Amino acid sequence: MVKKVAVIGAGCSGLVAIKSCLEEGLEPTCFELSNDIGGLWRYTEKVEEGRPSIYRSVVMNTSKEMSCYSDFPMPDHFPNFLHNSKFLEYYRLYAEHFGLMKYINFKTRVCSVRKRPDFAATGQWDIITEKDGKRESATFDAVLVCSGRFTKPVFPIKSFPGLEKYKSKFMHSREYKHPDGFQGKRVLVVGIGNSGVDIATELSRVASQVFISTKRGGWIVSRLIDHGFPWDTWIHTRFKTWLRLSLPVSLVNWLITRRLNEWFDQEAYGLQRDSSLWKDPLANDDLPGCIFRGSVVVKPAAVEFGETSVTFEDGTQEDFDIIIFATGFSISFPFLEESVFTISDSTVSLYKNIFLPNLENPTLAFIGLSRPIGSILVASEMQTRWATRVFKGLNKLPPLEKCMEDIAKKSKVLTQRYGTLQGNTFQIEFIEYVDEIASEIGVKPNVFRLLLSDPRLALEVFFSACTPPQYRLTGPGKWDGARNAILTKWDRILKPMKTRVVKNKANSSPLLNMLGLLSLLVLVATIFICT
């Protein structure tokens, strides 16, 4: 009988893991390497070994309504896209509200997590931790690994011929903190992920010239979409997800490409990515303007380095003072023995991105490895809610053969949708994945039943933004405030912008009422088609 659960890490996944344990009557003990909660979202002036590192200006790419815990909406006065300090404030409010801090052991390093000799019978783990130079050992019935995927930087020096000859400064994006010291410099950013684009646009305000080097390009989206509202409230609806998954992949890619180019012509700006090698878009509101003004120049892949220069794939050569490699991160869990988990395992063999299928007992779960085009917090919460129920025996994993079949099937779909590029491992379709886990628990909302009992809520659940409280409407962990949180989300979205109220805007119109009626008819027709 599982009772004692070790939680490794006190970031967004670790906090909700503690709460999920408490909801199921388990006894969590959380080990956090640093002296505070927040994980990735806690900024520090210096890079700390073994924990994520962010730059001072980091702002969320997903909006507050789509990035909150399911039974704890963000305060209505919070802005829609939070600075890292504001997001950390939300974590503190959450931890205080649910009394989570007392379960966290700070400044504690997890040295090793090993199976006990009788693991096949008990499923237990021996965990060695270190604090203030003193090591301790304890036995736990289950382990939730919540330490994230942003601690080990990918720095492929051997992939860049001549880099050993380069005499000027170069660094990984993990080391970048703020633009101080970059004034008047010529800077090259290698890589076009979220960090690379953010750093390039920030430095363009102080550097003499910034270049971005990219091999395949990338899709750039604004945080704001139609009528100036958050992008994820527009894209993450059940109706649009159903459409995307029903249409051929080639047609979906064409439609997405067309939609992305409505903001600006991404091909003309040298950014457009080959649609056959799809990768999640990058949220940045400034890059097109920087390119248009010439403060950022997009270049192809860097192929050779000299003492002060870089030669690019197009044959051009430029001199630089500083090079920043925004080349991403690799998964690393040094505390796990290789017989349990190795880097090669991380590519295909986690059942639903959470469980190792070949363990004799499912008492080890990895939380937060999925890569949704959306908030990782929402996926992590659903993972912990399910994992703790598996630990407790309320949910069962299928036999090994069925797990491997599911993994193979998901891997094939993943390749069809996103290709085989590095970084696409664990990519997921946001609502599809969270719904899949929610179905295991019994908390996925039933739109048809809602249509019969609560038509207004049914419309919101199916056509409007799929906010986290939808997974607290029913089943284990049901929250009485979920319905109200869903129906009032637009009040919280609009509240921080209502600093000057425009009085002449009409509140309603016959056209809007007619559209509401048509939406209801479409919902009924769609549900019958789906079922």
Side-chain angles (χ1 to χ4, degrees), residues 69-90:
Y69 293 112
S70 59
D71 55 355
F72 195 72
M74 292 195 189
D76 57 3
H77 66 277
F78 273 29
N80 283 291
F81 291 94
L82 306 184
H83 182 263
N84 61 83
S85 60
K86 207 69 175 175
F87 207 6
L88 180 59
E89 181 182 342
Y90 172 70

Side-chain angles (χ1 to χ4, degrees), residues 10 24 96 203 322 419 443 449 499:
E24 296 299 339
E96 180 182 354
L203 291 180
I322 303 174
V443 297
R449 288 182 182 175
T499 52

